[in-house]
Amino acid sequence: MFKVCLYRVRVKIFRGVPFHGSAEKPIEVDHHLYEFGSVEYYIKSSVSEPFTYLSISTPLLSRGVFPSHRLSPCTLRTIREISSDVLDIVEPPTDGYQLTLRLDFSKLPHNKESLKVITEVSSVQAVILSSQLKERLQNVNSWDMSQGMYVIREPFYVIRQPRKIVAVFPMRFKDHSDVIIATSFFQELMDVRSSGKWSKIPPCNWSPIPPPELRGELFEDLSTNGGFVSFDISSHHVEVKRLDKTVWSLLNFHGYVKHHVKCTRGFIQRRMRRRMDSLVQVLEKSMIENNEEIKRVKGWKKVKKWMKLTSKSKMIKGKYHDFTKKMKRIRFRVKIHGFGCFRRRWLTIACFSSSVGYSKLKKH
Amino acid sequence: MANPLKLYLTCVRNTLEAALCLQNFPCQEVERHNKPEVELKTSPELLLNPVLICRNEAEKCLIETSINSLRISLKVKQADELENILAKKFLRFLSMRAEAFQVLRRKPVQGYDISFLITNYHCEEMQKQKLIDFIVQFMEDIDKEISELKMSVSTRGRLVASEFLKQFL
């Protein structure tokens, strides 16, 4: 959604000429945009300056290594790599925001590549979140013990322990049946992990009560109906080639579970519908034999209809024959009385295919 | 079919064969009205003794008979929370579509999961034996369907969990 807004603002700035380098008449833009998960964007563009300023406020890792109002150098470096031509980081950021970017839309490519660049710029918030988590996970072997709560749409905890990092997800659902389906899923998750061939995967655990690592946290943050799922991340899971996948899996765990619950409900619904049809058919069998006589009567009516149709076709044939006769009479301008009989007797070609079915013998 | 289930269903079948002797009986209270007496219970002389058949504490069948109607209420086995919600969903799904079944009641009797109401009109339109077969088969199919649903949900959960954990490999 933010991507669409950013594109519309860009078009508005250039007055409906999105693919030209220079603006015909730059205009003032001052927009505040809000997204789920307490994310706020502030877009500002003025006539006096050729640049557009984009400020982002997003909940960051709190009570951890980094203060909650600043981004780490690693995160800033990752953001600069997005599109170095178009965006630049402004220091210090606007008051109340963690990051302010200076966008130069005149340097956007002149073709449809501009949409790709806008997409990358609009995903800055996701880059901030993932880079923070990557930074945390990269220092797995550090002996520094700390704890922080990661807040996106659904908060989860990242707890650093000796030689491992524990990610704890408090699970909350609106419906009781969702809780049951999700609980069944978590139990399967634990069962799959405990089987032999998945030993390289982070150990996962589900408990209905908060784990000991969360002792001391606020009661409101620990009140759930779906229990707590925890993953123990070790150095093996954050090697260079696996880090991105691990970060993606952790950031999207909540969404993954909710999608599974939704799909399971749909599956149950489809299954019930099919079963209902089969049950109704059983009942209908008890009614069919009683209505057999009615079906026979319906069959007799069908025969009558068919007979009516055939008689109609004969009538149509007869009418066609009369019509062709009339046309022939009109075409013959000279009428000779008795010529019709003469023509039929002497001028017609004999037809040898008789209804009796015998063939004419040749003279030897 | 396991023996205890077979005995339970045979008992239900025999009771239904005895109870499904219905005839048309106009309402004694209101002129020109014809109501199922088992629902109203206004005239005790028109009601027979209800029969409760229990397979165990969790599964039972209540058969209430009157002169012109019969009500069958079933309590279905629910071993755990998942079976509980699956049974609730499925039986509620069927009850909401009661017009497709004709003999199904929209709301189950209190204390039971699903109820049927058979009147003398149903007995005139449908064959008695086939109606009893339907009820017995329904009881059997419900148990089977809930078990299959539970297994399917668990299998799906396992597959999804495997796919999620593969991301870490």
Side-chain angles (χ1 to χ4, degrees), chain A residues 332-350:
Chain A
F332 281 111
R333 292 184 183 180
V334 177
K335 285 188 184 174
I336 302 168
H337 289 288
F339 182 72
C341 293
F342 176 78
R343 184 170 56 81
R344 274 195 296 274
R345 194 170 174 184
W346 298 106
L347 296 181
T348 50
I349 299 165

Side-chain angles (χ1 to χ4, degrees), chain B residues 83-95:
Chain B
E83 274 193 18
N84 191 357
I85 60 147
L86 290 174
K88 217 185 252 184
K89 275 187 176 295
F90 186 39
L91 295 172
R92 191 168 181 273
F93 181 86
L94 295 178
S95 300

